Amino acid sequence: MAKVSTSFFCKNCGASSAKWVGKCSSCGEWNTYVEEVIQKEKTDYKKTWKKESHSLSVLKPVLLKEVEQGSEERYPVKDIELSRVLGGGIVPGSVILIGGEPGIGKSTLMLQIALQFTDKKVLYISGEESDTQIKMRAERLPFRNDQCYLFTEVSTQKIGKALQELQPDIVVVDSIQTLQSELIDSTPGSISQIKETAGDLIRFAKETGTPVFLIGHITKDGTLAGPKLLEHMVDTVLQFEGDRHHVYRILRTTKNRFGSTSEIGIYEMQGSGLREVSNPSEILISQRDEALSGVAISATIEGMRPLLIETQALVSTAVYGTPQRNSNGYDTKRLNMLLAILEKKCGLRMGMQDVFVNIAGGLRVEDPGIDLGVVAAIVSSYHNVSVDSKIAFIGEVGLSGEIRAVSRIEQRISEAEKLGFTSIYLSKFNKIPKGKSSINIVEVSKLEDFLNYLFG
């Protein structure tokens, strides 16, 4: 019988220690060490992860100038939104971690993607659901793949043997927190188990060139469960966001070694699975029968994609002593800054008003280029005067009340023109080629001038 011993692991970074310490020497966090029972044995188990048809080449140091430059080979993905988020397809040997709240649709998304690879042999490993449950979900989806295999197992030793026998082209693991290695004598989901099982799967992916998708749980704070080291080990980290009370889901990149980290993919949850939304501007703008105050349309950029979003604001007299400042999908600190500018530079008495701001569609936007739209919505609600639904706004507001230029202005204008907007307000400091657009462009330099043009 192998010797059983205990060790302490940091929940934040995964560092280990023979005894408990108050402050982690690796990441500097306090009170993050937990004790786990571990058991290590001598084994040749990891050799089973390799495919017989692959062999590791002997590497040696080479000069940087002698390295041949070439593009990464990628597996084409039928899901356009996922392909955009990953940077154009799946890189062989990459490990992709997908996190999200329970019930948000992670398993549905990955099963849907697995069924779309009709020309690839896909192994879907589930440690949470039975074969029957997965079959019931697959029957609701409009995709079929005769080469999609199911394996409901949590032991990495058995999974390793199945991988060697089947030799799949793509592997999906649902979820990494349910896997358990017999070499570690601790419960599934513990720090040591996640490090060991994830490390085995990453070695398998790199040695065989097989892409691996890992589904991960998240904590109450919205971060991926397990050690922070897990996010450093994988190649790509995707966050599947959304509200279960809304039909739209957003797939956002937080880390990508093979592409941009500013791309998003938008899906609509339906009874038959997740539908890709090719034109999100149309769904992010509400259809209204009549003009309403407190609503303005802003043009923003998410990755390479221009979007038109609806900004909603409600301004009312504060009933209590301290006015409320609440925002959904927009930075609250930036909202407080805009309210201070409106009171200082424009003479609006915002200090006695409750202000609520919402980005329609459940989208969260960090682009400062929507400041002008937020201001327009706030002032519209303050005066109870509606803004023309065919006007869009682009511009960042500075502390002195100036309207600053924003990047990629031509793409924003083109998106507004494509959706039928007749006028657009933007900073006069943006350099716009003349005669390229039929939309009426109103250039402003100060916040006071902007409000005079818009509300008179």
Side-chain angles (χ1 to χ4, degrees), residues 3-7 9 36-40 183-185 192:
K3 183 180 179 181
V4 178
S5 61
T6 62
S7 183
F9 295 90
E36 294 183 7
V37 178
I38 61 174
Q39 179 178 356
K40 295 184 178 180
L183 306 181
I184 305 294
D185 192 15
S192 55

Side-chain angles (χ1 to χ4, degrees), residues 3 14-15 25 48 65 69 89 95-96 150 223 294 307 317 386 446 456:
K3 183 180 179 181
S25 59
T48 62
K65 63 181 181 180
Q69 184 177 2
V95 181
I96 303 165
L150 299 180
T223 59
L307 300 176
T317 305
S386 63
K446 292 184 179 181

Side-chain angles (χ1 to χ4, degrees), residues 1 108 169 205 424 452:
M1 183 68 182
T108 301
D169 299 313
I424 190 164
N452 289 332

Side-chain angles (χ1 to χ4, degrees), residues 122-174:
V122 182
L123 176 59
Y124 190 98
I125 302 169
S126 177
E128 299 183 344
E129 297 177 301
S130 65
D131 295 342
T132 306
Q133 290 174 306
I134 299 173
K135 175 67 175 178
M136 290 173 58
R137 179 185 290 115
E139 289 296 324
R140 299 197 303 266
L141 302 178
F143 307 101
R144 295 293 178 266
N145 184 1
D146 295 333
Q147 297 191 82
C148 183
Y149 294 83
L150 299 180
F151 190 42
T152 53
E153 183 57 60
V154 297
S155 171
T156 53
Q157 281 70 27
K158 296 179 181 178
I159 292 173
K161 294 178 181 178
L163 290 172
Q164 185 183 25
E165 294 174 0
L166 187 62
Q167 296 189 3
D169 299 313
I170 297 174
V171 177
V172 178
V173 178
D174 183 14

